[in-house]
Amino acid sequence: MSLSGRRPTRFEARVHAALGEVPRGRVVTYAEVAKRLGCRSAQAIGQALKRNPRAPEVPCHRVIRSDGRLGGYAGKRGGVRVDRKRRLLREEGVEFDDEGKLTDPARLWRWGG
DNA sequence: TCTGTGACCGCTG
DNA sequence: ACAGCGGCCACAG
């Protein structure tokens, strides 16, 4: 309850706002979001998302790793949580191959570039 | 592919 | 206020 009952920090709010700019059917990397916020730690982005599993208000599932793999979801780096993430993306037309890599790199969203 | 190091935010004590 | 630690990561070797 320490998590769900907590009010978002300013940093978290900025992360969520940034995610809101990512259209459906597109994905963005943790690094890209970090860059957008002027933060040099992509991991800090993951932290912020973990603290707010309240989808679909915040489309956490649209954030993947720089190497094209899914990365974690809802605080876990594997298992059913990530399976769910993959399903959600699949519903938006974003697919991953057997290696867990993003099939179509054109799906990658990025700001100003 | 795996390991080590860098980076940084928020929790806890 | 402050130090230590862990975490949905990135990057180099």
Side-chain angles (χ1 to χ4, degrees):
Chain A
M1 80 83 117
S2 50
L3 299 184
S4 54
R6 192 176 126 274
R7 206 159 60 82
T9 64
R10 221 150 48 267
F11 177 73
E12 286 163 1
R14 285 203 294 149
V15 173
H16 304 158
L19 272 196
E21 299 176 20
V22 181
R24 189 182 149 80
R26 297 285 222 125
V27 290
V28 67
T29 65
Y30 292 98
E32 179 68 19
V33 176
K35 197 191 309 178
R36 169 70 168 175
L37 301 184
C39 172
R40 283 186 297 173
S41 171
Q43 193 165 29
I45 303 300
Q47 278 274 200
L49 297 182
K50 173 187 179 181
R51 295 294 175 193
N52 293 276
R54 45 171 92 181
E57 196 176 324
V58 178
C60 305
H61 61 284
R62 291 182 197 152
V63 191
I64 67 175
R65 300 188 353 178
S66 292
D67 61 5
R69 305 192 61 188
L70 281 112
Y73 189 63
K76 297 295 180 184
R77 299 200 286 191
V80 294
R81 303 291 226 235
V82 176
D83 287 342
R84 192 158 141 77
K85 180 175 184 176
R86 185 172 50 243
R87 275 204 305 280
L88 286 169
L89 286 175
R90 200 172 194 305
E91 289 175 15
E92 300 186 2
V94 183
E95 301 182 8
F96 295 80
D97 59 28
D98 289 338
E99 293 181 356
K101 298 262 195 166
L102 180 64
T103 306
D104 181 11
R107 293 283 187 175
L108 268 180
W109 172 262
R110 48 190 54 209
W111 287 278

